[in-house]
Amino acid sequence: MAGVSSRRSGRMFALACLCIAAACGMLQCSLGSISLLAAVKAGEPTAADMQAAYAQAAQIYAYVHQQHKNTIAKVSAILAIKIVLLHLLSARTRVMLGNFKRSTNAAQPWEEDERVPAWFTSVMKVILVCVGPAPSEAFLTRLQGLVANTMETEPWFIGLAVAYGLRGVTSIYAVKYAQKLMWAFLAGRVCHAVAFLMALPQPSRAVAWQVATFSLLGLAVIVLL
């Protein structure tokens, strides 16, 4: 009898364990369903929500990218105006001095420059506002040096800026620093031109050169990121 009772007790214990396990499983499923329902009620993002979020992010990116492209266009346009003004100032200085010598022609004027009609020279003097005292030869030399320096640096910036605009804003560093670097480059180049033409004491021109150079370098690094 003792053996039969022991076997019955073992069976009852095993059945109780199975019931407890089943109850735990049902409870876990219930809790999972409740948490899922609560998440849905609490506003867990759906596919439509995710699509709307992506659309909003795309709009923000497009806005930021457009702002950067606007900055590229403005800075490039101002640099273009700057070099045009330098060319006009160089032409004015040459006409007022009567100096058409070219360094690329062994410091001699081109043959056709010596046969310019007098009426055309008069028209050029009106267009270029050739009034007042004539500039010095030293000023013409400075203008030539500044134009050469401009052509060595600023086309590289414009090319790099266009490449950046085509590539797009691809990093947080671009968002934070790209536009600032473009404006810093422009400010450095304008200050460099003023310091060069007015023969301001150093290190004014050197500081302006450094600002523009390191701004160009920084923008190049951002493009590579």
Side-chain angles (χ1 to χ4, degrees), residues 19-20 32 39 43 60 68 75 80 82 124 133 137 146 169-170 176 186 216 219 225:
C19 291
I20 293 173
I60 295 173
H68 284 231
V75 172
K82 173 176 170 284
M124 288 295 295
E137 293 284 349
L146 179 57
V169 182
T170 57
K176 287 184 176 180
L186 176 63
L216 179 61
L219 184 61
L225 292 178

Side-chain angles (χ1 to χ4, degrees), residues 148-208:
N149 182 275
T150 298
M151 299 306 294
E152 291 172 357
T153 306
E154 294 176 16
W156 288 99
F157 168 82
I158 294 175
L160 181 64
V162 170
Y164 168 75
L166 293 174
R167 188 167 187 256
V169 182
T170 57
S171 68
I172 188 63
Y173 300 104
V175 175
K176 287 184 176 180
Y177 304 116
Q179 288 180 290
K180 296 176 182 178
L181 289 171
M182 294 178 203
W183 289 116
F185 178 85
L186 176 63
R189 292 305 301 174
V190 171
C191 292
H192 176 270
V194 172
F196 204 130
L197 290 181
M198 298 184 67
L200 298 180
Q202 290 282 28
S204 56
R205 191 173 83 244
V207 170

